[in-house]
Amino acid sequence: MKTLNKTLLVIGGGPGGYVAAIRAGQLGIPTVLVEGEALGGTCLNVGCIPSKALIHLAGEFERACRFTSSNPLGIRVQEPAVDLGQAQRWKDGVVGKLTGGVGALLRKAGVQVVKGRATIVDGKTVDVAPHEGEPLRIACEHLLLATGSVAVDLPNLPVGGPVITSTEALALTEKPQHLVVVGAGYIGLELGFAWRKLGVDVAVVEATGRILPGYDEELTQPVLASLRRLGITLHLNCKAEGLTDTGNGLRVRSSQADEYVLPADKVLVAVGRVPRTAGFGLESLQLDMAGRAVRTDEQCRTSMRNVWAIGDLTGEPMLAHRAMAQGEMVAEIVAGRRRRFAPMAVPAVCFTDPELVVAGLSPDEAEARGMDVQVASFPFAANGRALSVEGSEGFVRVVARKDTHQVLGWQAVGQGVSELSTAFCYAIEMGARLEDVAGIIHAHPTLGEAVQESALRALGHALHI
Ligand code: FAD
Ligand code: NAD
């Protein structure tokens, strides 16, 4: 067996692991990254990037379809069609550019990349079965675990045949006639919207009484209205029981205990993700766990000295930007810098139509902490930019302390609001007060003016409402 010695060994080349390795390389730390599949991890290969590419192409197709009949813009298009094979090649091209870019960045930072599955021997030793060449044993001073997460399985709907996960749902080259999505969370709704816009009959089965249970009802209301407008059927308070004997239907049971069958040539199971902790010797370290996630402190240290964990492996929120921020921080700590992971806001965006974004505290979260807050909203119906791009549904909402007016949180729903997450986080992290946001000149006409107007409204003197 060949051997290798490095200061830092990273297992997993997703957003957490590859960012940690790049930063470590930049800081001159001898670093090796082991990746068993493809650089970029879930996010670049089968998650954030391909899903946003699919959502974009579906949106463009649906827009073209809207122009086949009379419309306020007066545009006429005849018989739009989509070549899914070509569309998938385009999407794969986007992924390829980004994953290739990650490889180049790692090379530039001087990181050694080993392609193969890693198995932990102990806190300082890892064996790798490389895709090519002989087995390798790597010794390290610091071991960083960034193995990500896997989709939750439903025992009565094992993946295979018509039952698929997001990975297969992103790669379909033929349109199913009837797609049933189990789970009205991030994945179920982002991909449900996309396939509906591509012309597929989509039904969503959700165990709870509402869509996107992680967001408050006022925020999800415009998304619900849009689902209905597009003809996506919702089955709330329902559970998937299993496929019918013929395999082309899904048996669903509602909370009223009646069972019925939905036609389904594909069933997308999207009921959450869990940390990837099995199959690579993690248990041998006997680390403290927090439920199914590896327990870490504010510096992403595990219960074993010099063993670190970041990203989805450490639990919620399972978001790429959180994993990246943790990875960058761990590299800096290993290099001797004083850092800790204590953001005031980890923004979350759901790329439905319309989009949702939250950053910092919601009104309910602030109330649960016993804080005295004031809350104000500004509707996009009063925003010139939103009206001129036919995106007048939704609003921006601000949450601020009543005594000091310090901004604690933002929420928004509307077309293109994902891009407002940057302004939201700047205001929160920089300790802005309502007066600061209200006093900044926001370019006209932009959606950002709704951010300023919501702060003005909280102060009692909104200008355009
Ligand atoms: P991962 O990206 O999962 O990377 C872990 C890597 O470790 C993998 O490449 C895996 O092959 C490797 N690995 C595991 N075990 C071993 C081993 N033993 N040896 C070698 N390699 C190993 N998040 C967002 O912020 N925005 C989005 O829009 C978004 N969209 C998403 C859409 C979908 C469909 C999905 C599924 C997820 C989405 N996410 C999104 C979540 C995001 O993908 C994850 O939060 C992010 O990828 C986590 O990064 P990570 O580095 O922790 O793990
Ligand atoms: P999720 O937690 O967002 O939603 C799962 C949904 O399934 C919930 O509404 C839940 O009530 C429902 N559910 C659970 N069990 C069920 C059952 N037996 N029958 C019917 N419904 C059931 O999970 P997800 O959509 O699978 O996404 C996983 C994770 O991936 C997210 O939590 C997020 O961290 C990440 N992600 C993020 C983005 C983004 O940032 N835009 C996009 C996609 C995924």
Side-chain angles (χ1 to χ4, degrees), residues 11-12 14-16 34-37 41-43 46-48 51-52 116-118 146-148 166 187 273 276 280 311-312 318-321 323:
I11 304 182
V34 184
E35 171 52 59
E37 290 177 28
T42 303
C43 175
V46 292
C48 327
S51 63
K52 269 74 247 180
R117 307 266 348 141
T147 53
S166 54
I187 293 176
R273 294 181 63 86
R276 191 194 319 246
F280 59 99
D312 285 9
M318 293 193 193
L319 297 171
H321 40 278

PDB file of all heavy atoms in Angstrom, residues 11-12 14-16 34-37 41-43 46-48 51-52 116-118 146-148 166 187 273 276 280 311-312 318-321 323, ligand 1:
ATOM      1  N   ILE A  11     -12.205  14.804   3.534  1.00  0.00           N
ATOM      2  CA  ILE A  11     -13.000  13.758   2.875  1.00  0.00           C
ATOM      3  C   ILE A  11     -14.265  14.408   2.344  1.00  0.00           C
ATOM      4  O   ILE A  11     -15.103  14.897   3.112  1.00  0.00           O
ATOM      5  CB  ILE A  11     -13.376  12.600   3.827  1.00  0.00           C
ATOM      6  CG1 ILE A  11     -12.131  11.988   4.462  1.00  0.00           C
ATOM      7  CG2 ILE A  11     -14.148  11.527   3.058  1.00  0.00           C
ATOM      8  CD1 ILE A  11     -12.438  10.797   5.387  1.00  0.00           C
ATOM      9  N   GLY A  12     -14.404  14.428   1.019  1.00  0.00           N
ATOM     10  CA  GLY A  12     -15.598  14.992   0.383  1.00  0.00           C
ATOM     11  C   GLY A  12     -15.274  16.287  -0.351  1.00  0.00           C
ATOM     12  O   GLY A  12     -14.759  17.235   0.239  1.00  0.00           O
ATOM     13  N   GLY A  14     -17.486  18.338  -1.954  1.00  0.00           N
ATOM     14  CA  GLY A  14     -18.649  19.214  -2.175  1.00  0.00           C
ATOM     15  C   GLY A  14     -18.284  20.644  -1.797  1.00  0.00           C
ATOM     16  O   GLY A  14     -17.104  20.953  -1.538  1.00  0.00           O
ATOM     17  N   PRO A  15     -19.291  21.551  -1.732  1.00  0.00           N
ATOM     18  CA  PRO A  15     -19.005  22.955  -1.425  1.00  0.00           C
ATOM     19  C   PRO A  15     -18.246  23.138  -0.107  1.00  0.00           C
ATOM     20  O   PRO A  15     -17.409  24.037   0.002  1.00  0.00           O
ATOM     21  CB  PRO A  15     -20.386  23.589  -1.309  1.00  0.00           C
ATOM     22  CG  PRO A  15     -21.326  22.643  -1.930  1.00  0.00           C
ATOM     23  CD  PRO A  15     -20.710  21.293  -1.973  1.00  0.00           C
ATOM     24  N   GLY A  16     -18.546  22.299   0.892  1.00  0.00           N
ATOM     25  CA  GLY A  16     -17.820  22.406   2.160  1.00  0.00           C
ATOM     26  C   GLY A  16     -16.371  21.998   1.992  1.00  0.00           C
ATOM     27  O   GLY A  16     -15.440  22.769   2.278  1.00  0.00           O
ATOM     28  N   VAL A  34      -9.991  13.984  -0.749  1.00  0.00           N
ATOM     29  CA  VAL A  34     -10.412  12.702  -1.311  1.00  0.00           C
ATOM     30  C   VAL A  34     -11.883  12.796  -1.699  1.00  0.00           C
ATOM     31  O   VAL A  34     -12.728  13.160  -0.883  1.00  0.00           O
ATOM     32  CB  VAL A  34     -10.228  11.552  -0.285  1.00  0.00           C
ATOM     33  CG1 VAL A  34     -10.577  10.210  -0.930  1.00  0.00           C
ATOM     34  CG2 VAL A  34      -8.813  11.528   0.252  1.00  0.00           C
ATOM     35  N   GLU A  35     -12.178  12.490  -2.948  1.00  0.00           N
ATOM     36  CA  GLU A  35     -13.566  12.545  -3.432  1.00  0.00           C
ATOM     37  C   GLU A  35     -13.890  11.231  -4.148  1.00  0.00           C
ATOM     38  O   GLU A  35     -13.175  10.824  -5.060  1.00  0.00           O
ATOM     39  CB  GLU A  35     -13.762  13.746  -4.367  1.00  0.00           C
ATOM     40  CG  GLU A  35     -15.089  13.784  -5.109  1.00  0.00           C
ATOM     41  CD  GLU A  35     -16.330  13.641  -4.223  1.00  0.00           C
ATOM     42  OE1 GLU A  35     -16.528  14.462  -3.331  1.00  0.00           O
ATOM     43  OE2 GLU A  35     -17.104  12.673  -4.431  1.00  0.00           O
ATOM     44  N   GLY A  36     -14.993  10.604  -3.713  1.00  0.00           N
ATOM     45  CA  GLY A  36     -15.351   9.293  -4.259  1.00  0.00           C
ATOM     46  C   GLY A  36     -16.140   9.354  -5.547  1.00  0.00           C
ATOM     47  O   GLY A  36     -16.214   8.379  -6.289  1.00  0.00           O
ATOM     48  N   GLU A  37     -16.775  10.492  -5.814  1.00  0.00           N
ATOM     49  CA  GLU A  37     -17.574  10.589  -7.045  1.00  0.00           C
ATOM     50  C   GLU A  37     -17.047  11.732  -7.908  1.00  0.00           C
ATOM     51  O   GLU A  37     -16.036  11.579  -8.566  1.00  0.00           O
ATOM     52  CB  GLU A  37     -19.054  10.720  -6.700  1.00  0.00           C
ATOM     53  CG  GLU A  37     -19.589   9.397  -6.129  1.00  0.00           C
ATOM     54  CD  GLU A  37     -21.023   9.466  -5.691  1.00  0.00           C
ATOM     55  OE1 GLU A  37     -21.788  10.264  -6.232  1.00  0.00           O
ATOM     56  OE2 GLU A  37     -21.374   8.692  -4.773  1.00  0.00           O
ATOM     57  N   GLY A  41     -19.500  17.824  -5.474  1.00  0.00           N
ATOM     58  CA  GLY A  41     -20.462  17.189  -4.574  1.00  0.00           C
ATOM     59  C   GLY A  41     -21.896  17.237  -5.066  1.00  0.00           C
ATOM     60  O   GLY A  41     -22.167  17.387  -6.266  1.00  0.00           O
ATOM     61  N   THR A  42     -22.800  17.130  -4.122  1.00  0.00           N
ATOM     62  CA  THR A  42     -24.231  17.154  -4.433  1.00  0.00           C
ATOM     63  C   THR A  42     -24.591  18.463  -5.130  1.00  0.00           C
ATOM     64  O   THR A  42     -25.282  18.478  -6.153  1.00  0.00           O
ATOM     65  CB  THR A  42     -25.044  17.045  -3.123  1.00  0.00           C
ATOM     66  OG1 THR A  42     -24.649  15.857  -2.455  1.00  0.00           O
ATOM     67  CG2 THR A  42     -26.538  17.020  -3.384  1.00  0.00           C
ATOM     68  N   CYS A  43     -24.125  19.569  -4.571  1.00  0.00           N
ATOM     69  CA  CYS A  43     -24.542  20.892  -5.035  1.00  0.00           C
ATOM     70  C   CYS A  43     -24.274  21.081  -6.534  1.00  0.00           C
ATOM     71  O   CYS A  43     -25.187  21.399  -7.297  1.00  0.00           O
ATOM     72  CB  CYS A  43     -23.804  21.943  -4.218  1.00  0.00           C
ATOM     73  SG  CYS A  43     -24.115  23.610  -4.763  1.00  0.00           S
ATOM     74  N   VAL A  46     -25.631  17.288  -8.694  1.00  0.00           N
ATOM     75  CA  VAL A  46     -27.024  16.805  -8.687  1.00  0.00           C
ATOM     76  C   VAL A  46     -27.930  17.639  -7.776  1.00  0.00           C
ATOM     77  O   VAL A  46     -28.949  17.153  -7.311  1.00  0.00           O
ATOM     78  CB  VAL A  46     -27.086  15.311  -8.260  1.00  0.00           C
ATOM     79  CG1 VAL A  46     -26.468  14.399  -9.308  1.00  0.00           C
ATOM     80  CG2 VAL A  46     -26.410  15.090  -6.899  1.00  0.00           C
ATOM     81  N   GLY A  47     -27.527  18.873  -7.485  1.00  0.00           N
ATOM     82  CA  GLY A  47     -28.298  19.671  -6.541  1.00  0.00           C
ATOM     83  C   GLY A  47     -28.541  21.077  -7.041  1.00  0.00           C
ATOM     84  O   GLY A  47     -29.202  21.291  -8.062  1.00  0.00           O
ATOM     85  N   CYS A  48     -27.954  22.048  -6.325  1.00  0.00           N
ATOM     86  CA  CYS A  48     -28.215  23.477  -6.581  1.00  0.00           C
ATOM     87  C   CYS A  48     -28.119  23.835  -8.064  1.00  0.00           C
ATOM     88  O   CYS A  48     -29.052  24.447  -8.616  1.00  0.00           O
ATOM     89  CB  CYS A  48     -27.206  24.363  -5.850  1.00  0.00           C
ATOM     90  SG  CYS A  48     -26.611  23.746  -4.279  1.00  0.00           S
ATOM     91  N   SER A  51     -30.417  21.908 -10.702  1.00  0.00           N
ATOM     92  CA  SER A  51     -31.836  22.213 -10.454  1.00  0.00           C
ATOM     93  C   SER A  51     -32.151  23.634 -10.902  1.00  0.00           C
ATOM     94  O   SER A  51     -33.200  23.886 -11.491  1.00  0.00           O
ATOM     95  CB  SER A  51     -32.218  21.981  -8.988  1.00  0.00           C
ATOM     96  OG  SER A  51     -31.509  22.835  -8.124  1.00  0.00           O
ATOM     97  N   LYS A  52     -31.217  24.555 -10.658  1.00  0.00           N
ATOM     98  CA  LYS A  52     -31.507  25.935 -11.088  1.00  0.00           C
ATOM     99  C   LYS A  52     -31.465  26.050 -12.616  1.00  0.00           C
ATOM    100  O   LYS A  52     -32.205  26.852 -13.212  1.00  0.00           O
ATOM    101  CB  LYS A  52     -30.540  26.925 -10.435  1.00  0.00           C
ATOM    102  CG  LYS A  52     -31.062  27.460  -9.126  1.00  0.00           C
ATOM    103  CD  LYS A  52     -31.005  26.497  -7.962  1.00  0.00           C
ATOM    104  CE  LYS A  52     -32.236  25.991  -7.370  1.00  0.00           C
ATOM    105  NZ  LYS A  52     -32.053  25.067  -6.249  1.00  0.00           N
ATOM    106  N   GLY A 116     -11.335   8.639  -5.186  1.00  0.00           N
ATOM    107  CA  GLY A 116     -11.575   7.293  -4.666  1.00  0.00           C
ATOM    108  C   GLY A 116     -12.330   7.377  -3.360  1.00  0.00           C
ATOM    109  O   GLY A 116     -12.497   8.454  -2.785  1.00  0.00           O
ATOM    110  N   ARG A 117     -12.835   6.238  -2.884  1.00  0.00           N
ATOM    111  CA  ARG A 117     -13.614   6.221  -1.636  1.00  0.00           C
ATOM    112  C   ARG A 117     -12.665   6.167  -0.450  1.00  0.00           C
ATOM    113  O   ARG A 117     -11.729   5.375  -0.419  1.00  0.00           O
ATOM    114  CB  ARG A 117     -14.548   5.002  -1.551  1.00  0.00           C
ATOM    115  CG  ARG A 117     -15.449   4.796  -2.690  1.00  0.00           C
ATOM    116  CD  ARG A 117     -16.841   5.351  -2.657  1.00  0.00           C
ATOM    117  NE  ARG A 117     -17.408   5.868  -1.435  1.00  0.00           N
ATOM    118  CZ  ARG A 117     -18.175   6.958  -1.434  1.00  0.00           C
ATOM    119  NH1 ARG A 117     -18.380   7.642  -2.526  1.00  0.00           N
ATOM    120  NH2 ARG A 117     -18.729   7.369  -0.326  1.00  0.00           N
ATOM    121  N   ALA A 118     -12.922   6.998   0.520  1.00  0.00           N
ATOM    122  CA  ALA A 118     -12.104   7.039   1.729  1.00  0.00           C
ATOM    123  C   ALA A 118     -12.745   6.186   2.819  1.00  0.00           C
ATOM    124  O   ALA A 118     -13.966   6.170   2.953  1.00  0.00           O
ATOM    125  CB  ALA A 118     -12.002   8.481   2.215  1.00  0.00           C
ATOM    126  N   ALA A 146     -16.406  16.016   5.401  1.00  0.00           N
ATOM    127  CA  ALA A 146     -17.361  16.836   4.630  1.00  0.00           C
ATOM    128  C   ALA A 146     -18.085  15.919   3.654  1.00  0.00           C
ATOM    129  O   ALA A 146     -18.088  16.144   2.443  1.00  0.00           O
ATOM    130  CB  ALA A 146     -16.610  17.943   3.891  1.00  0.00           C
ATOM    131  N   THR A 147     -18.697  14.869   4.216  1.00  0.00           N
ATOM    132  CA  THR A 147     -19.265  13.818   3.367  1.00  0.00           C
ATOM    133  C   THR A 147     -20.715  14.079   2.960  1.00  0.00           C
ATOM    134  O   THR A 147     -21.321  13.259   2.270  1.00  0.00           O
ATOM    135  CB  THR A 147     -19.182  12.450   4.076  1.00  0.00           C
ATOM    136  OG1 THR A 147     -19.775  12.581   5.368  1.00  0.00           O
ATOM    137  CG2 THR A 147     -17.740  11.987   4.227  1.00  0.00           C
ATOM    138  N   GLY A 148     -21.284  15.201   3.394  1.00  0.00           N
ATOM    139  CA  GLY A 148     -22.589  15.608   2.879  1.00  0.00           C
ATOM    140  C   GLY A 148     -23.763  14.826   3.423  1.00  0.00           C
ATOM    141  O   GLY A 148     -23.770  14.394   4.578  1.00  0.00           O
ATOM    142  N   SER A 166     -34.295  13.161  -6.439  1.00  0.00           N
ATOM    143  CA  SER A 166     -34.034  14.387  -7.198  1.00  0.00           C
ATOM    144  C   SER A 166     -32.973  14.159  -8.273  1.00  0.00           C
ATOM    145  O   SER A 166     -33.032  14.767  -9.347  1.00  0.00           O
ATOM    146  CB  SER A 166     -33.615  15.515  -6.260  1.00  0.00           C
ATOM    147  OG  SER A 166     -32.522  15.128  -5.459  1.00  0.00           O
ATOM    148  N   ILE A 187     -37.180  20.564  -2.478  1.00  0.00           N
ATOM    149  CA  ILE A 187     -36.940  19.821  -3.715  1.00  0.00           C
ATOM    150  C   ILE A 187     -38.248  19.541  -4.431  1.00  0.00           C
ATOM    151  O   ILE A 187     -38.373  19.766  -5.644  1.00  0.00           O
ATOM    152  CB  ILE A 187     -36.181  18.496  -3.411  1.00  0.00           C
ATOM    153  CG1 ILE A 187     -34.772  18.818  -2.909  1.00  0.00           C
ATOM    154  CG2 ILE A 187     -36.135  17.596  -4.648  1.00  0.00           C
ATOM    155  CD1 ILE A 187     -33.954  17.612  -2.493  1.00  0.00           C
ATOM    156  N   ARG A 273     -33.411  15.167   3.615  1.00  0.00           N
ATOM    157  CA  ARG A 273     -32.095  14.556   3.475  1.00  0.00           C
ATOM    158  C   ARG A 273     -31.496  14.348   4.863  1.00  0.00           C
ATOM    159  O   ARG A 273     -31.835  15.085   5.805  1.00  0.00           O
ATOM    160  CB  ARG A 273     -31.165  15.435   2.617  1.00  0.00           C
ATOM    161  CG  ARG A 273     -31.657  15.532   1.170  1.00  0.00           C
ATOM    162  CD  ARG A 273     -30.741  16.373   0.301  1.00  0.00           C
ATOM    163  NE  ARG A 273     -29.398  15.871   0.133  1.00  0.00           N
ATOM    164  CZ  ARG A 273     -29.031  14.993  -0.795  1.00  0.00           C
ATOM    165  NH1 ARG A 273     -29.901  14.501  -1.650  1.00  0.00           N
ATOM    166  NH2 ARG A 273     -27.773  14.610  -0.882  1.00  0.00           N
ATOM    167  N   ARG A 276     -24.679  12.023   5.727  1.00  0.00           N
ATOM    168  CA  ARG A 276     -24.084  10.771   5.248  1.00  0.00           C
ATOM    169  C   ARG A 276     -23.028  10.328   6.268  1.00  0.00           C
ATOM    170  O   ARG A 276     -21.913  10.846   6.293  1.00  0.00           O
ATOM    171  CB  ARG A 276     -23.419  10.975   3.886  1.00  0.00           C
ATOM    172  CG  ARG A 276     -23.018   9.662   3.221  1.00  0.00           C
ATOM    173  CD  ARG A 276     -22.073   9.847   2.047  1.00  0.00           C
ATOM    174  NE  ARG A 276     -22.379  10.956   1.188  1.00  0.00           N
ATOM    175  CZ  ARG A 276     -22.774  10.855  -0.084  1.00  0.00           C
ATOM    176  NH1 ARG A 276     -22.944   9.684  -0.631  1.00  0.00           N
ATOM    177  NH2 ARG A 276     -22.978  11.949  -0.797  1.00  0.00           N
ATOM    178  N   PHE A 280     -18.223   4.529   5.694  1.00  0.00           N
ATOM    179  CA  PHE A 280     -16.814   4.927   5.520  1.00  0.00           C
ATOM    180  C   PHE A 280     -16.047   4.941   6.846  1.00  0.00           C
ATOM    181  O   PHE A 280     -15.057   5.649   7.000  1.00  0.00           O
ATOM    182  CB  PHE A 280     -16.710   6.284   4.793  1.00  0.00           C
ATOM    183  CG  PHE A 280     -17.397   7.433   5.483  1.00  0.00           C
ATOM    184  CD1 PHE A 280     -16.674   8.330   6.259  1.00  0.00           C
ATOM    185  CD2 PHE A 280     -18.764   7.629   5.343  1.00  0.00           C
ATOM    186  CE1 PHE A 280     -17.293   9.409   6.887  1.00  0.00           C
ATOM    187  CE2 PHE A 280     -19.398   8.705   5.973  1.00  0.00           C
ATOM    188  CZ  PHE A 280     -18.663   9.592   6.743  1.00  0.00           C
ATOM    189  N   GLY A 311     -20.722  21.253   6.898  1.00  0.00           N
ATOM    190  CA  GLY A 311     -21.730  21.034   5.858  1.00  0.00           C
ATOM    191  C   GLY A 311     -22.870  20.143   6.298  1.00  0.00           C
ATOM    192  O   GLY A 311     -23.193  20.028   7.489  1.00  0.00           O
ATOM    193  N   ASP A 312     -23.482  19.490   5.322  1.00  0.00           N
ATOM    194  CA  ASP A 312     -24.690  18.693   5.584  1.00  0.00           C
ATOM    195  C   ASP A 312     -24.454  17.610   6.636  1.00  0.00           C
ATOM    196  O   ASP A 312     -25.385  17.208   7.340  1.00  0.00           O
ATOM    197  CB  ASP A 312     -25.174  18.023   4.287  1.00  0.00           C
ATOM    198  CG  ASP A 312     -25.846  19.009   3.337  1.00  0.00           C
ATOM    199  OD1 ASP A 312     -25.798  20.228   3.593  1.00  0.00           O
ATOM    200  OD2 ASP A 312     -26.401  18.553   2.312  1.00  0.00           O
ATOM    201  N   MET A 318     -29.201  22.481   5.814  1.00  0.00           N
ATOM    202  CA  MET A 318     -28.351  21.820   4.819  1.00  0.00           C
ATOM    203  C   MET A 318     -28.310  22.678   3.558  1.00  0.00           C
ATOM    204  O   MET A 318     -29.072  22.459   2.615  1.00  0.00           O
ATOM    205  CB  MET A 318     -28.897  20.427   4.519  1.00  0.00           C
ATOM    206  CG  MET A 318     -28.788  19.489   5.698  1.00  0.00           C
ATOM    207  SD  MET A 318     -29.071  17.797   5.185  1.00  0.00           S
ATOM    208  CE  MET A 318     -29.264  16.993   6.748  1.00  0.00           C
ATOM    209  N   LEU A 319     -27.442  23.661   3.570  1.00  0.00           N
ATOM    210  CA  LEU A 319     -27.356  24.608   2.466  1.00  0.00           C
ATOM    211  C   LEU A 319     -25.900  24.760   2.040  1.00  0.00           C
ATOM    212  O   LEU A 319     -24.988  24.757   2.887  1.00  0.00           O
ATOM    213  CB  LEU A 319     -27.921  25.965   2.888  1.00  0.00           C
ATOM    214  CG  LEU A 319     -29.410  25.953   3.257  1.00  0.00           C
ATOM    215  CD1 LEU A 319     -29.837  27.275   3.871  1.00  0.00           C
ATOM    216  CD2 LEU A 319     -30.277  25.629   2.033  1.00  0.00           C
ATOM    217  N   ALA A 320     -25.692  24.935   0.748  1.00  0.00           N
ATOM    218  CA  ALA A 320     -24.337  24.969   0.213  1.00  0.00           C
ATOM    219  C   ALA A 320     -23.520  26.130   0.775  1.00  0.00           C
ATOM    220  O   ALA A 320     -22.335  25.971   1.099  1.00  0.00           O
ATOM    221  CB  ALA A 320     -24.407  25.065  -1.310  1.00  0.00           C
ATOM    222  N   HIS A 321     -24.157  27.308   0.919  1.00  0.00           N
ATOM    223  CA  HIS A 321     -23.383  28.471   1.371  1.00  0.00           C
ATOM    224  C   HIS A 321     -22.965  28.336   2.831  1.00  0.00           C
ATOM    225  O   HIS A 321     -21.938  28.869   3.237  1.00  0.00           O
ATOM    226  CB  HIS A 321     -24.152  29.781   1.138  1.00  0.00           C
ATOM    227  CG  HIS A 321     -25.605  29.702   1.422  1.00  0.00           C
ATOM    228  ND1 HIS A 321     -26.504  29.193   0.516  1.00  0.00           N
ATOM    229  CD2 HIS A 321     -26.326  30.048   2.515  1.00  0.00           C
ATOM    230  CE1 HIS A 321     -27.724  29.251   1.044  1.00  0.00           C
ATOM    231  NE2 HIS A 321     -27.633  29.757   2.257  1.00  0.00           N
ATOM    232  N   ALA A 323     -22.177  25.366   4.180  1.00  0.00           N
ATOM    233  CA  ALA A 323     -21.049  24.432   4.099  1.00  0.00           C
ATOM    234  C   ALA A 323     -19.777  25.173   3.678  1.00  0.00           C
ATOM    235  O   ALA A 323     -18.700  24.970   4.246  1.00  0.00           O
ATOM    236  CB  ALA A 323     -21.379  23.316   3.099  1.00  0.00           C
TER     237      ALA A 323
HETATM  238  P1  FAD B   1     -21.989  17.418  -0.543  1.00  0.00           P
HETATM  239  O1  FAD B   1     -22.169  18.461  -1.548  1.00  0.00           O
HETATM  240  O2  FAD B   1     -23.018  16.354  -0.439  1.00  0.00           O
HETATM  241  O3  FAD B   1     -20.584  16.737  -0.845  1.00  0.00           O
HETATM  242  C1  FAD B   1     -20.136  15.614  -0.161  1.00  0.00           C
HETATM  243  C2  FAD B   1     -19.150  14.880  -1.033  1.00  0.00           C
HETATM  244  O4  FAD B   1     -18.496  13.895  -0.250  1.00  0.00           O
HETATM  245  C3  FAD B   1     -19.796  14.140  -2.214  1.00  0.00           C
HETATM  246  O5  FAD B   1     -19.207  14.563  -3.419  1.00  0.00           O
HETATM  247  C4  FAD B   1     -19.503  12.670  -1.938  1.00  0.00           C
HETATM  248  O6  FAD B   1     -19.248  11.926  -3.113  1.00  0.00           O
HETATM  249  C5  FAD B   1     -18.245  12.773  -1.075  1.00  0.00           C
HETATM  250  N1  FAD B   1     -18.048  11.618  -0.197  1.00  0.00           N
HETATM  251  C6  FAD B   1     -18.921  11.132   0.729  1.00  0.00           C
HETATM  252  N2  FAD B   1     -18.366  10.080   1.362  1.00  0.00           N
HETATM  253  C7  FAD B   1     -17.135   9.895   0.822  1.00  0.00           C
HETATM  254  C8  FAD B   1     -16.097   8.955   1.053  1.00  0.00           C
HETATM  255  N3  FAD B   1     -16.186   7.992   1.969  1.00  0.00           N
HETATM  256  N4  FAD B   1     -14.971   9.056   0.305  1.00  0.00           N
HETATM  257  C9  FAD B   1     -14.838  10.030  -0.629  1.00  0.00           C
HETATM  258  N5  FAD B   1     -15.797  10.942  -0.880  1.00  0.00           N
HETATM  259  C10 FAD B   1     -16.923  10.879  -0.160  1.00  0.00           C
HETATM  260  N6  FAD B   1     -28.396  24.204  -1.293  1.00  0.00           N
HETATM  261  C11 FAD B   1     -28.389  25.539  -1.486  1.00  0.00           C
HETATM  262  O7  FAD B   1     -27.764  26.264  -0.703  1.00  0.00           O
HETATM  263  N7  FAD B   1     -29.039  26.113  -2.546  1.00  0.00           N
HETATM  264  C12 FAD B   1     -29.728  25.360  -3.439  1.00  0.00           C
HETATM  265  O8  FAD B   1     -30.304  25.907  -4.377  1.00  0.00           O
HETATM  266  C13 FAD B   1     -29.764  23.953  -3.258  1.00  0.00           C
HETATM  267  N8  FAD B   1     -30.421  23.161  -4.128  1.00  0.00           N
HETATM  268  C14 FAD B   1     -30.402  21.809  -3.959  1.00  0.00           C
HETATM  269  C15 FAD B   1     -31.103  21.018  -4.871  1.00  0.00           C
HETATM  270  C16 FAD B   1     -31.111  19.648  -4.717  1.00  0.00           C
HETATM  271  C17 FAD B   1     -31.858  18.794  -5.717  1.00  0.00           C
HETATM  272  C18 FAD B   1     -30.390  19.046  -3.639  1.00  0.00           C
HETATM  273  C19 FAD B   1     -30.359  17.557  -3.478  1.00  0.00           C
HETATM  274  C20 FAD B   1     -29.699  19.823  -2.732  1.00  0.00           C
HETATM  275  C21 FAD B   1     -29.708  21.215  -2.877  1.00  0.00           C
HETATM  276  N9  FAD B   1     -29.050  22.050  -1.974  1.00  0.00           N
HETATM  277  C22 FAD B   1     -29.062  23.407  -2.150  1.00  0.00           C
HETATM  278  C23 FAD B   1     -28.304  21.507  -0.825  1.00  0.00           C
HETATM  279  C24 FAD B   1     -26.788  21.471  -1.140  1.00  0.00           C
HETATM  280  O9  FAD B   1     -26.585  20.679  -2.282  1.00  0.00           O
HETATM  281  C25 FAD B   1     -26.032  20.903   0.041  1.00  0.00           C
HETATM  282  O10 FAD B   1     -26.330  21.663   1.206  1.00  0.00           O
HETATM  283  C26 FAD B   1     -24.536  20.962  -0.190  1.00  0.00           C
HETATM  284  O11 FAD B   1     -24.164  20.240  -1.333  1.00  0.00           O
HETATM  285  C27 FAD B   1     -23.789  20.406   1.020  1.00  0.00           C
HETATM  286  O12 FAD B   1     -22.416  20.447   0.793  1.00  0.00           O
HETATM  287  P2  FAD B   1     -21.432  19.417   1.522  1.00  0.00           P
HETATM  288  O13 FAD B   1     -20.057  19.823   1.094  1.00  0.00           O
HETATM  289  O14 FAD B   1     -21.742  19.346   2.958  1.00  0.00           O
HETATM  290  O15 FAD B   1     -21.801  17.981   0.927  1.00  0.00           O
END
